[in-house]
Each structure stands twice: as structure tokens, then as C-alpha cells.
Amino acid sequence: MDAADAAAMQAFVDALSAASRRCRFHAGVQRCSEPFAQVLCRTDGSRRLGLLVAVAPNAGGGTRIVGEARCVTGDDGQRGGREFAI
């Protein structure tokens, strides 16, 4: 992960509607901070098992994130507790 990845994730989350952010994060996330975007981009092979993003061209010639999927383990430490989100 680098700063460009976190910035792209931040822009993606901030572009979601309030209802989409609430459904995705199960909370009223108003804005994606830079530290939160960095956490979203990080995988560690233990708790944060995977991240897949879909990108599309943007008007400036670069790309932007248009979708993402992830798999994380549960916070409760129980075996087999996983969450998959698209």
C-alpha cells in the first residue's frame, strides 16, 4: 500500500452516499479520514485477509476505485468468524 492507494480509497468512500456508507460500515461514517483509508488498504494475512478493488479510468487519465471487496476475521477471536463484504 502506498499514499496513492489510501487517497484513492478515501475518495471512493467519500463518494459513497450516506446510506451506502452506513450499510458498508454499519455506522454513520461521515467522511473517510486519511488514517482510516490507510487501515482499509492494509492486509496483514491474519485479521485482514484480503482486499480486491475494481478500478475505472477517470477524466484525468488515471484510475479511480469504483468497487471493493474484502475479507476480515471477527474481532471476537472465535474460530471461523469471518466477514466478507463487497
Side-chain angles (χ1 to χ4, degrees):
M1 184 205 73
D2 62 23
D5 296 328
M9 183 63 74
Q10 188 175 12
F12 168 70
V13 172
D14 286 345
L16 295 172
S17 69
S20 291
R21 285 192 305 272
R22 189 171 40 258
C23 288
R24 177 172 295 273
F25 299 110
H26 305 286
V29 174
Q30 299 296 318
R31 184 181 164 281
C32 183
S33 67
E34 184 178 338
F36 185 48
Q38 290 174 359
V39 168
L40 292 175
C41 289
R42 206 173 298 134
T43 59
D44 62 13
S46 175
R47 184 182 181 296
R48 295 175 185 92
L49 301 176
L51 172 65
L52 175 68
V53 297
V55 296
N58 66 19
T63 59
R64 62 187 173 94
I65 297 175
V66 295
E68 61 108 10
R70 67 182 60 247
C71 181
V72 298
T73 63
D75 286 330
D76 58 11
Q78 293 180 2
R79 280 183 64 130
R82 304 286 187 269
E83 179 179 316
F84 180 74
I86 297 178

